[in-house]
Amino acid sequence: MNQSSLQPIYHLDEASKQSLIARYAQPKQLETLSYATVRDFCDSADHLPQVCKLHDDIKNVQRPWLIKTILSQVPLGGKLLEIGGGEPIVCGILAELGYQVTLVDPYEGAGNGPTEYAQYSQQYPHVKIIKDLFSPNLSQISPAAFDCIFSISVLEHIHGDAHRFIYEGIRKFLRQGGKSIHCIDHVAQGWGTEAHEENLKRILLCQLKLQNPDYPLEKIDSDYAVLSNQLKEDVETYYLSATGHYLWRGNVPYDQFPFRKVVSIQSCIAT
């Protein structure tokens, strides 16, 4: 691809911007822990078709939820940072809505991740893109610089004590009173459930400690159980579809990657 021929990408016209702001930029009570629902997906399909595509990827419910949540929690013009965003679709829309947006991603291609740093930098000039791993050691940004730090389908790919390192960075770069907002892919039933459960508990523990440094370790089990039981009983819980699973599976034989119930866990914390 000829990089010099790339044109900036914009997703919203002026009428769309004003419609989204009028509908979603209303202060809303925080949902510390929640999960994606079909109701929210349908609302997004109606009002945010730019990021709610009908092709079975779980990001189709996560991306619009994140945009709507930021509109309700962060005043227009606020400073936002996305961790590991890859293609800056969400960042681009948030920038178009009037936010100051930074994206941090290494663009190294690990785990079939993106490598198109130069391309995206040209296509999204309204987004500041930093080619690096997110960490508390980033020198390109200042401490307490952001009103919100968020991620979509990133934290579940980080394991063990590495979560603490990520959250040291969130704590360092988020201003007092800022929001930490994340969508996390989670296997609720099927192959890998136990490992996903333990990993999610570590993520949620780090997240909850942003708000309450004294949050007790033993309480995470009961909080997780409440959330897990609620989503399993809720007829409106949004699950990754069979078609979505087929796309995720790629060339891996089905016996090595059988179908699982995958949900999106959502967390929004005010520091």
Side-chain angles (χ1 to χ4, degrees):
M1 180 181 295
N2 183 357
Q3 299 291 342
S4 63
S5 67
L6 295 173
Q7 298 298 312
I9 293 175
Y10 295 94
H11 297 276
L12 305 175
D13 57 26
E14 193 58 36
S16 297
K17 293 178 193 176
Q18 295 308 315
S19 176
L20 290 172
I21 290 169
R23 184 174 180 83
Y24 300 113
Q26 309 294 333
K28 186 178 176 183
Q29 184 174 355
L30 281 172
E31 284 190 283
T32 301
L33 299 177
S34 63
Y35 52 89
T37 64
V38 176
R39 177 184 294 274
D40 185 63
F41 172 78
C42 290
D43 175 83
S44 298
D46 288 342
H47 300 285
L48 261 169
Q50 298 87 348
V51 286
C52 188
K53 310 296 184 182
L54 302 180
H55 56 39
D56 299 292
D57 190 338
I58 202 166
K59 289 186 177 65
N60 293 325
V61 73
Q62 295 172 328
R63 285 170 170 161
W65 176 85
L66 199 293
I67 291 169
K68 293 187 289 188
T69 300
I70 286 179
L71 279 169
S72 73
Q73 299 297 327
V74 184
L76 294 172
K79 295 183 178 181
L80 315 176
L81 182 146
E82 181 173 12
I83 300 171
E87 184 176 0
I89 298 172
V90 169
C91 283
I93 287 179
L94 289 167
E96 290 177 59
L97 288 168
Y99 292 100
Q100 301 175 62
V101 188
T102 298
L103 186 156
V104 178
D105 191 300
Y107 293 102
E108 61 188 4
N112 295 319
T115 59
E116 299 90 343
Y117 167 71
Q119 174 183 331
Y120 295 152
S121 294
Q122 287 200 38
Q123 291 177 316
Y124 293 89
H126 44 309
V127 176
K128 179 180 179 180
I129 303 178
I130 297 174
K131 185 181 180 182
D132 206 338
L133 284 168
F134 179 79
S135 82
N137 300 323
L138 279 172
S139 60
Q140 300 96 318
I141 52 180
S142 301
F146 294 95
D147 300 295
C148 175
I149 296 178
F150 67 93
S151 71
I152 301 169
S153 294
V154 170
L155 297 184
E156 69 272 16
H157 299 294
I158 301 165
H159 302 281
D161 288 340
H163 290 122
R164 296 179 185 176
F165 193 62
I166 292 292
Y167 272 88
E168 283 179 22
I170 293 175
R171 190 175 293 107
K172 177 178 179 179
F173 297 120
L174 198 61
R175 69 165 179 80
Q176 183 63 39
K179 305 298 195 308
S180 177
I181 306 176
H182 306 278
C183 295
I184 305 151
D185 300 352
H186 176 61
V187 176
Q189 186 176 346
W191 172 72
T193 300
E194 291 184 5
H196 275 260
E197 178 179 317
E198 291 307 310
N199 204 43
L200 179 62
K201 287 179 182 178
R202 283 192 290 267
I203 296 168
L204 297 181
L205 181 63
C206 290
Q207 177 80 338
L208 292 164
K209 278 183 172 290
L210 284 175
Q211 190 173 61
N212 176 16
D214 297 323
Y215 179 91
L217 175 62
E218 62 274 11
K219 192 173 184 295
I220 195 64
D221 289 328
S222 60
D223 283 352
Y224 171 80
V226 170
L227 181 70
S228 180
N229 290 335
Q230 184 178 353
L231 70 85
K232 288 176 182 177
E233 294 295 326
D234 190 346
V235 69
E236 290 195 342
T237 299
Y238 182 101
Y239 290 98
L240 179 71
S241 70
T243 305
H245 171 76
Y246 177 79
L247 296 173
W248 276 20
R249 186 169 62 88
N251 295 322
V252 180
Y254 184 86
D255 287 343
Q256 296 178 25
F257 198 153
F259 185 72
R260 306 170 293 173
K261 282 189 176 180
V262 180
V263 297
S264 176
I265 301 298
Q266 303 160 165
S267 182
C268 184
I269 290 290
T271 59

